[in-house]
Amino acid sequence: MSARATTATTKRLAINQLKESKPDAEAIDRFLADHEMPIVEGSRCTFVFRGDVDEVHVVQRIVGLPERLPLKRLWGTDLWYLVLELPEGSRVEYQLEIRRGDHHDRFNDPLNPKLSHSPMGSSSVCFAHGYATPDWALPDPDARPGELTELVVASDALRRDCRVRLYLPARFSRTASYPLLVVHDGSDFLHYASAKDVLDNLIHRLDIAEMVVAFVDPGERLTEYADSSAHARFLNAELVPLLEREYPLIGQRSGRCLLGSSFGAVASLSAAYRAPDVYGSLVLMSGSFVFTDIGTDHGGGPAFDPVVKFTNRYRARPRPVADRLFVSCGVYEPLIIRARSMVPTFEATGMEVRYVEARDGHNWENWRDRLRDALSWVFPGQQKYVYE
């Protein structure tokens, strides 16, 4: 991947054709009206900004590139551009940063309507050639909707009431028996990763089994998800037994799965580590498995101290915590090296591991896009669960 393109390649780019025409303001107006931004031409993506400023940068977090990439000004105009080479299938979130004198401002790309959302706000997104939002992540009027219901679990382990959103499939029946999926950061998965639409669609298409899904949320996230014994007790000794008493669940290892992303992946592995006979599967997306091989400087800050301690301990004495692990990570996120390093550690325990990389970053839509691969592997469709 490169922020440069060869002269032979860029001759055919739309921005080069515009440059050669020595455009006036009206020609630039037509150019902007005629193109969707960023302009995607093969592996080259052209980012454009128009305005009377002193500097413009694309700000992104692609590992291997500077965080701030400068745009060039088209001579004699107020149009700025950057040609970035992105491999096929890439998805990149970014913002623009401008400077006028001593004043700096950062915002979403005003020429690009495509936005990505998270609890931290929104950002613009570039879809490189070959990437498209999966159709199974979009609302499908033919898919029968499941039901979201809410319960509150009074947790002794966490010393608080825990709100749980429970997904029941459209054809839910008390005479059937369902696998259980527990999702960390549940409200965020519902809101930012279209989890309900994904479940409805994948069940409708028979890609995944009908299942009951518990969406759980943390209190103090960086505490409860960072190898917390209290959080593990909540899942293993309170939530799962409660759900298996109240709902027609399989109630066996093969029918239980924990899913989490980032710190939620740490919480999933940590809970299963403390109860290695409870869960048949784990889904670990972009896990924050920060560790140190030499010394103590892990670079993650104090919040990562318990994570590093746990990951170091697990790497030193790995053991099976489930039958199967689905592990994924974006190649553009800083955690990619650690994710790759954890895979042989997991495999050495004898667990079946499926590892998937995506040309994406540390974000909710990356995790959304991995849900079909993960869930169809953990709980495949057309598999019937009945009481014996």
Side-chain angles (χ1 to χ4, degrees), residues 230-353:
H231 176 71
R233 288 197 306 275
F234 164 65
L235 292 180
N236 303 334
E238 295 177 340
L239 178 64
V240 170
L242 171 66
L243 294 176
E244 292 183 348
R245 288 194 303 269
E246 299 294 328
Y247 294 89
L249 302 176
I250 294 173
Q252 298 177 359
R253 176 189 177 104
S254 63
R256 304 187 191 108
C257 177
L258 293 179
L259 181 151
S261 61
S262 193
F263 258 56
V266 176
S268 298
L269 182 64
S270 172
Y273 182 85
R274 288 178 165 84
D277 296 323
V278 171
Y279 303 99
S281 303
L282 303 181
V283 176
L284 310 177
M285 297 177 169
S286 301
S288 299
F289 298 118
V290 177
F291 58 84
T292 56
D293 285 327
I294 300 175
T296 59
D297 184 11
H298 52 75
F304 280 85
D305 287 346
V307 174
V308 172
K309 183 177 179 181
F310 168 68
T311 309
N312 284 351
R313 184 172 70 248
Y314 186 82
R315 283 168 55 82
R317 294 181 297 278
R319 70 185 190 195
V321 297
D323 298 320
R324 303 199 298 172
L325 265 62
F326 180 94
V327 182
S328 68
C329 196
V331 297
Y332 300 153
E333 56 182 301
L335 291 164
I336 184 61
I337 299 302
R338 287 175 164 116
R340 290 169 177 167
S341 298
M342 291 298 293
V343 171
T345 300
F346 292 140
E347 290 175 334
T349 69
M351 293 185 290
E352 185 179 359
V353 179

Side-chain angles (χ1 to χ4, degrees), residues 43-174:
S43 63
R44 268 66 179 184
C45 300
T46 303
F47 297 79
V48 174
F49 175 78
R50 191 178 193 183
D52 186 14
V53 297
D54 297 313
E55 287 183 342
V56 188
H57 289 83
V58 166
V59 182
Q60 45 66 49
R61 297 186 65 187
I62 300 176
V63 170
L65 288 182
E67 182 179 356
R68 299 167 70 253
L69 300 173
L71 277 68
K72 296 179 181 179
R73 188 168 191 160
L74 188 59
W75 188 86
T77 76
D78 59 355
L79 193 72
W80 299 73
Y81 70 94
L82 165 70
V83 179
L84 184 65
E85 184 178 351
L86 292 174
E88 183 170 354
S90 294
R91 182 187 166 283
V92 174
E93 297 185 4
Y94 71 97
Q95 289 189 311
L96 296 178
E97 183 179 273
I98 63 170
R99 180 181 67 82
R100 289 187 179 96
D102 294 332
H103 179 71
H104 293 257
D105 197 11
R106 184 179 295 187
F107 45 78
N108 292 333
D109 185 346
L111 298 175
N112 179 7
K114 297 185 290 294
L115 294 175
S116 177
H117 301 275
S118 79
M120 306 302 293
S122 65
S123 61
S124 297
V125 58
C126 173
F127 296 166
H129 178 71
Y131 176 85
T133 301
D135 62 352
W136 48 262
L138 302 172
D140 181 353
D142 292 331
R144 293 179 60 181
E147 177 188 359
L148 278 177
T149 185
E150 186 172 318
L151 64 148
V152 177
V153 179
S155 173
D156 292 333
L158 294 174
R159 299 181 182 180
R160 64 178 177 88
D161 288 343
C162 298
R163 174 175 171 262
V164 179
R165 304 282 296 279
L166 201 66
Y167 173 87
L168 304 178
R171 291 176 289 271
F172 177 77
S173 170
R174 289 281 175 179

